[in-house]
Short mmCIF file of all heavy atoms in Angstrom, two decimals:
data_model
loop_
_atom_site.label_atom_id
_atom_site.label_comp_id
_atom_site.label_asym_id
_atom_site.label_seq_id
_atom_site.Cartn_x
_atom_site.Cartn_y
_atom_site.Cartn_z
N LEU A 7 -6.28 2.86 -3.64
CA LEU A 7 -6.07 3.20 -5.00
C LEU A 7 -5.93 1.96 -5.84
O LEU A 7 -6.16 1.90 -7.08
CB LEU A 7 -4.87 4.09 -5.22
CG LEU A 7 -4.97 5.50 -4.53
CD1 LEU A 7 -3.67 6.22 -4.76
CD2 LEU A 7 -6.19 6.25 -5.13
N ILE A 8 -5.34 0.85 -5.26
CA ILE A 8 -5.15 -0.38 -6.03
C ILE A 8 -6.21 -1.36 -5.60
O ILE A 8 -6.24 -1.82 -4.40
CB ILE A 8 -3.73 -0.92 -5.73
CG1 ILE A 8 -2.74 0.18 -5.94
CG2 ILE A 8 -3.41 -2.20 -6.51
CD1 ILE A 8 -1.25 -0.23 -5.45
N ASN A 9 -7.02 -1.81 -6.53
CA ASN A 9 -8.06 -2.78 -6.25
C ASN A 9 -7.48 -4.23 -6.36
O ASN A 9 -7.56 -4.83 -7.39
CB ASN A 9 -9.19 -2.61 -7.24
CG ASN A 9 -10.38 -3.54 -6.94
OD1 ASN A 9 -10.54 -3.95 -5.77
ND2 ASN A 9 -11.27 -3.75 -7.86
N ASP A 10 -6.87 -4.60 -5.33
CA ASP A 10 -6.10 -5.89 -5.30
C ASP A 10 -6.29 -6.45 -3.94
O ASP A 10 -5.98 -5.82 -2.92
CB ASP A 10 -4.66 -5.64 -5.64
CG ASP A 10 -3.87 -6.91 -5.82
OD1 ASP A 10 -4.17 -7.91 -5.20
OD2 ASP A 10 -2.88 -6.84 -6.59
N PRO A 11 -6.63 -7.73 -3.87
CA PRO A 11 -6.80 -8.40 -2.50
C PRO A 11 -5.57 -8.40 -1.78
O PRO A 11 -5.55 -8.55 -0.51
CB PRO A 11 -7.36 -9.82 -2.85
CG PRO A 11 -6.99 -9.99 -4.33
CD PRO A 11 -7.03 -8.67 -4.95
N LYS A 12 -4.42 -8.38 -2.45
CA LYS A 12 -3.11 -8.44 -1.72
C LYS A 12 -2.93 -7.21 -0.84
O LYS A 12 -2.09 -7.24 0.06
CB LYS A 12 -1.96 -8.54 -2.73
CG LYS A 12 -1.91 -9.82 -3.44
CD LYS A 12 -0.69 -9.85 -4.26
CE LYS A 12 -0.51 -11.17 -5.14
NZ LYS A 12 -1.42 -11.18 -6.23
N THR A 13 -3.69 -6.12 -1.16
CA THR A 13 -3.41 -4.95 -0.33
C THR A 13 -3.98 -5.02 1.11
O THR A 13 -3.85 -4.15 1.84
CB THR A 13 -4.11 -3.74 -0.96
OG1 THR A 13 -5.55 -4.06 -1.10
CG2 THR A 13 -3.63 -3.46 -2.35
N ALA A 14 -4.45 -6.23 1.45
CA ALA A 14 -4.80 -6.52 2.86
C ALA A 14 -3.54 -6.43 3.66
O ALA A 14 -3.64 -6.22 4.88
CB ALA A 14 -5.49 -7.78 2.97
N LEU A 15 -2.40 -6.58 3.03
CA LEU A 15 -1.13 -6.57 3.73
C LEU A 15 -0.71 -5.08 4.05
O LEU A 15 0.31 -4.88 4.77
CB LEU A 15 -0.05 -7.35 3.03
CG LEU A 15 -0.22 -8.80 2.89
CD1 LEU A 15 0.78 -9.40 1.91
CD2 LEU A 15 0.05 -9.43 4.38
N ILE A 16 -1.29 -4.16 3.50
CA ILE A 16 -0.77 -2.82 3.63
C ILE A 16 -0.85 -2.42 5.05
O ILE A 16 -1.89 -2.47 5.77
CB ILE A 16 -1.66 -1.82 2.72
CG1 ILE A 16 -1.40 -2.10 1.23
CG2 ILE A 16 -1.35 -0.34 3.05
CD1 ILE A 16 -2.21 -1.37 0.28
N GLY A 17 0.31 -1.87 5.54
CA GLY A 17 0.29 -1.34 6.87
C GLY A 17 0.21 -2.36 7.94
O GLY A 17 -0.26 -2.07 9.02
N ASN A 18 0.82 -3.53 7.78
CA ASN A 18 0.68 -4.66 8.69
C ASN A 18 1.94 -5.27 9.14
O ASN A 18 2.28 -6.37 8.85
CB ASN A 18 -0.19 -5.77 7.95
CG ASN A 18 -0.39 -6.94 8.97
OD1 ASN A 18 -0.59 -6.77 10.12
ND2 ASN A 18 -0.47 -8.13 8.34
N PRO A 19 2.70 -4.56 10.05
CA PRO A 19 2.82 -3.07 10.12
C PRO A 19 3.81 -2.57 9.11
O PRO A 19 3.48 -1.78 8.28
CB PRO A 19 3.29 -2.88 11.53
CG PRO A 19 4.06 -4.12 11.85
CD PRO A 19 3.40 -5.23 11.03
N VAL A 20 5.14 -3.15 9.19
CA VAL A 20 6.05 -2.72 8.11
C VAL A 20 6.21 -3.75 7.08
O VAL A 20 6.91 -3.59 6.14
CB VAL A 20 7.43 -2.38 8.81
CG1 VAL A 20 8.12 -3.71 9.29
CG2 VAL A 20 8.30 -1.59 7.93
N THR A 21 5.63 -4.90 7.28
CA THR A 21 5.71 -5.99 6.27
C THR A 21 4.79 -5.79 5.06
O THR A 21 5.00 -6.54 4.10
CB THR A 21 5.35 -7.31 6.96
OG1 THR A 21 4.05 -7.28 7.47
CG2 THR A 21 6.34 -7.69 8.04
N GLY A 22 3.91 -4.88 5.14
CA GLY A 22 3.07 -4.65 3.96
C GLY A 22 3.40 -3.43 3.16
O GLY A 22 4.51 -2.88 3.35
N LYS A 23 2.60 -3.08 2.18
CA LYS A 23 2.83 -1.86 1.41
C LYS A 23 2.60 -0.67 2.40
O LYS A 23 1.93 -0.77 3.43
CB LYS A 23 1.87 -1.82 0.32
CG LYS A 23 2.08 -2.95 -0.71
CD LYS A 23 1.09 -2.83 -1.93
CE LYS A 23 1.04 -4.17 -2.77
NZ LYS A 23 2.19 -4.28 -3.47
N PRO A 24 3.15 0.52 1.97
CA PRO A 24 2.97 1.72 2.85
C PRO A 24 1.51 2.00 3.15
O PRO A 24 0.69 1.91 2.19
CB PRO A 24 3.67 2.79 2.14
CG PRO A 24 4.63 2.10 1.30
CD PRO A 24 4.01 0.83 0.89
N SER A 25 1.19 2.49 4.26
CA SER A 25 -0.17 2.93 4.60
C SER A 25 -0.46 4.38 4.09
O SER A 25 -1.52 4.70 3.70
CB SER A 25 -0.40 2.88 6.11
OG SER A 25 -0.39 1.61 6.59
N PHE A 26 0.61 5.18 4.11
CA PHE A 26 0.52 6.59 3.74
C PHE A 26 1.78 6.96 2.98
O PHE A 26 2.85 6.58 3.32
CB PHE A 26 0.33 7.51 4.96
CG PHE A 26 -0.70 7.16 5.93
CD1 PHE A 26 -0.43 6.35 7.04
CD2 PHE A 26 -2.04 7.57 5.72
CE1 PHE A 26 -1.40 5.95 7.93
CE2 PHE A 26 -3.05 7.16 6.60
CZ PHE A 26 -2.73 6.38 7.77
N VAL A 27 1.54 7.76 1.87
CA VAL A 27 2.68 8.13 1.04
C VAL A 27 2.54 9.62 0.62
O VAL A 27 1.44 10.02 0.32
CB VAL A 27 2.66 7.27 -0.26
CG1 VAL A 27 3.82 7.69 -1.17
CG2 VAL A 27 2.81 5.75 0.06
N PHE A 28 3.69 10.29 0.64
CA PHE A 28 3.71 11.70 0.24
C PHE A 28 3.78 11.77 -1.32
O PHE A 28 2.86 12.26 -1.96
CB PHE A 28 4.80 12.46 0.95
CG PHE A 28 4.92 13.92 0.47
CD1 PHE A 28 3.81 14.70 0.33
CD2 PHE A 28 6.14 14.44 0.13
CE1 PHE A 28 3.91 16.02 -0.10
CE2 PHE A 28 6.23 15.73 -0.29
CZ PHE A 28 5.13 16.49 -0.34
N ILE A 29 4.89 11.32 -1.83
CA ILE A 29 4.99 11.26 -3.37
C ILE A 29 4.80 9.74 -3.76
O ILE A 29 5.56 8.92 -3.40
CB ILE A 29 6.27 11.82 -3.80
CG1 ILE A 29 6.50 13.23 -3.38
CG2 ILE A 29 6.46 11.62 -5.32
CD1 ILE A 29 7.81 13.87 -3.71
N TYR A 30 3.82 9.54 -4.61
CA TYR A 30 3.38 8.14 -4.95
C TYR A 30 3.38 7.96 -6.39
O TYR A 30 3.01 8.85 -7.19
CB TYR A 30 2.03 7.88 -4.38
CG TYR A 30 1.45 6.55 -4.77
CD1 TYR A 30 1.94 5.42 -4.22
CD2 TYR A 30 0.30 6.48 -5.68
CE1 TYR A 30 1.32 4.15 -4.57
CE2 TYR A 30 -0.20 5.31 -5.96
CZ TYR A 30 0.29 4.04 -5.44
OH TYR A 30 -0.30 2.87 -5.74
N GLY A 31 3.85 6.78 -6.90
CA GLY A 31 3.75 6.49 -8.26
C GLY A 31 3.41 4.97 -8.44
O GLY A 31 4.01 4.16 -7.77
N PHE A 32 2.56 4.63 -9.33
CA PHE A 32 2.20 3.24 -9.67
C PHE A 32 2.05 3.10 -11.14
O PHE A 32 1.41 3.86 -11.78
CB PHE A 32 0.83 2.86 -8.93
CG PHE A 32 0.54 1.35 -9.22
CD1 PHE A 32 1.16 0.36 -8.47
CD2 PHE A 32 -0.53 1.11 -10.09
CE1 PHE A 32 0.84 -0.96 -8.75
CE2 PHE A 32 -0.87 -0.29 -10.35
CZ PHE A 32 -0.17 -1.24 -9.58
#
C-alpha cells in the first residue's frame, strides 16, 4: 500500500514494518 523503497524492510523479520495487519491506518 505504501510506495516507498524503505518498505523493503517490511517483515524482516520483526525489525521491519508489519507484514500483515488486521486494523490498519496510515
Side-chain angles (χ1 to χ4, degrees):
L7 297 176
I8 306 171
N9 185 20
D10 187 330
K12 294 186 180 74
T13 60
L15 290 171
I16 291 174
N18 182 31
V20 72
T21 56
K23 299 178 191 291
S25 293
F26 307 93
V27 178
F28 177 47
I29 299 176
Y30 174 72
F32 181 75

